[in-house]
Amino acid sequence: MSGLPCARHLLSAAAALALTLWLAPRSHADEPVDVELVLAVDVSLSMSAEELEIQRHGYAAALTHDNVLQAIADGAYGKIAVTYVEWAGTGWQHVIVPWTVIASRPDAERVVAQLSAQPPNSARRTSISGALEFGSDLFAESGYQGTKRVIDISGDGPNNQGAPVNLVRDGVVSQGIVINGLPLMTRGGFSGVYDVNDLDRYYSDCVIGGAGAFMIPVNDWTQFPEAIRRKLVLELAGPASSYWVAEEADHPPVELAQDKPAADCQVGEKMWRNRNWMPDSR
């Protein structure tokens, strides 16, 4: 009989805890949006100050372009959530614009104001794999629930630091995240010794992935604003949209992700190991 009061006490405590939990404020569900979009932008030392500014201005112009805003408005929810990240080596990823909803031109202009508040910085090395890992982690804290999650990654060279990019890519894609690419084959910056001639092929085979993944190469900086605008429209509208058909009619075909890699996904790491006299820029 000595155990009965103890049992009654435990039952009362459990009932009190249950009542407390029932009365406690419930957490709000994540806000639904059409797309959660991570814009991951390369700022390694291979990029000149002028090129960094071209990138910033290109994204700012694209986010406020009529075609991009119309693609957003045409979505089921009529809004997206976006964050802008600059990256270089494995430990260098900076969130320039935190997760923000864009549903109208004023929303987009507020994002641009944050984007333009401070000049871009640059740092050593190129870790595409680090940027992908960082970008994928951002979705967990976005506070939004997108029908599609996309990492839009741009860069002017292959991965040369961190985990193998194709393995990280596969892990990110397995989470249901799409990775699209914007390889910058512009041959600018402080040094071209780490450039690869087929960076577009490298991105296609080693970086992009997921359902409907694609990449758009940039061969000259004059092409950058248009490439960003086009890429955002396609990401927001999707392959089944009239936008995609119109873009395909006006431009060369968008290159979709391939099933079997053909490029050397370790080319950047090999170049770095064999650099010898090369300047320590990327």
Side-chain angles (χ1 to χ4, degrees):
M1 297 295 292
S2 61
L4 291 178
C6 182
R8 283 196 296 269
H9 175 74
L10 290 174
L11 288 172
S12 298
L17 177 60
L19 180 62
T20 300
L21 292 175
W22 186 80
L23 293 174
R26 297 173 186 241
S27 60
H28 295 289
D30 289 343
E31 181 180 348
V33 294
D34 292 301
V35 181
E36 293 174 77
L37 179 62
V38 175
L39 299 174
V41 181
D42 180 9
V43 294
S44 59
L45 285 177
S46 56
M47 308 278 286
S48 70
E50 180 183 8
E51 290 167 342
L52 295 177
E53 286 295 338
I54 290 173
Q55 285 194 122
R56 283 276 189 96
H57 292 316
Y59 279 98
L63 288 168
T64 54
H65 195 281
D66 288 342
N67 291 5
V68 173
L69 294 174
Q70 189 60 52
I72 293 172
D74 288 348
Y77 297 104
K79 57 185 175 179
I80 66 169
V82 63
T83 180
Y84 186 99
V85 178
E86 292 179 339
W87 60 271
T90 51
W92 207 98
Q93 301 93 21
H94 287 183
V95 175
I96 307 301
V97 180
W99 284 109
T100 306
V101 164
I102 297 180
S104 64
R105 181 173 294 279
D107 292 339
E109 290 172 347
R110 280 191 288 271
V111 170
V112 169
Q114 294 182 75
L115 187 59
S116 308
Q118 295 182 347
N121 292 314
S122 58
R124 295 175 61 250
R125 305 294 293 270
T126 300
S127 182
I128 301 173
S129 58
L132 292 178
E133 288 176 331
F134 185 83
S136 66
D137 288 343
L138 289 177
F139 291 111
E141 59 191 50
S142 74
Y144 301 97
Q145 184 64 49
T147 56
K148 183 167 66 172
R149 295 180 295 166
V150 178
I151 297 176
D152 178 338
I153 189 158
S154 62
D156 71 342
N159 193 78
N160 64 32
Q161 189 181 39
V165 65
N166 55 320
L167 299 184
V168 171
R169 181 270 313 274
D170 292 345
V172 171
V173 168
S174 71
Q175 301 173 48
I177 298 169
V178 176
I179 303 168
N180 294 328
L182 193 77
L184 307 174
M185 307 192 317
T186 50
R187 300 294 187 269
F190 293 118
S191 174
V193 294
Y194 300 105
D195 290 334
V196 294
N197 293 326
D198 54 353
L199 186 63
D200 52 348
R201 182 70 173 271
Y202 175 88
Y203 260 69
S204 179
D205 292 341
C206 306
V207 178
I208 67 175
F214 66 93
M215 64 92 192
I216 298 177
V218 175
N219 296 298
D220 185 270
W221 281 109
T222 60
Q223 302 172 357
F224 187 80
E226 173 66 13
I228 288 294
R229 181 207 61 76
R230 182 185 176 210
K231 191 160 181 288
L232 286 178
V233 169
L234 294 179
E235 284 168 336
L236 301 177
S241 71
S242 59
Y243 292 103
W244 191 284
V245 175
E247 290 289 349
E248 290 285 75
D250 293 340
H251 299 275
V254 172
E255 185 169 351
L256 298 176
Q258 304 298 312
D259 293 332
K260 296 182 179 180
D264 181 0
C265 295
Q266 290 284 306
V267 63
E269 288 84 348
K270 291 174 182 176
M271 294 172 70
W272 182 262
R273 287 194 298 268
N274 298 329
R275 67 193 185 279
N276 295 325
W277 56 272
M278 294 179 181
D280 188 10
S281 60
R282 290 195 188 193

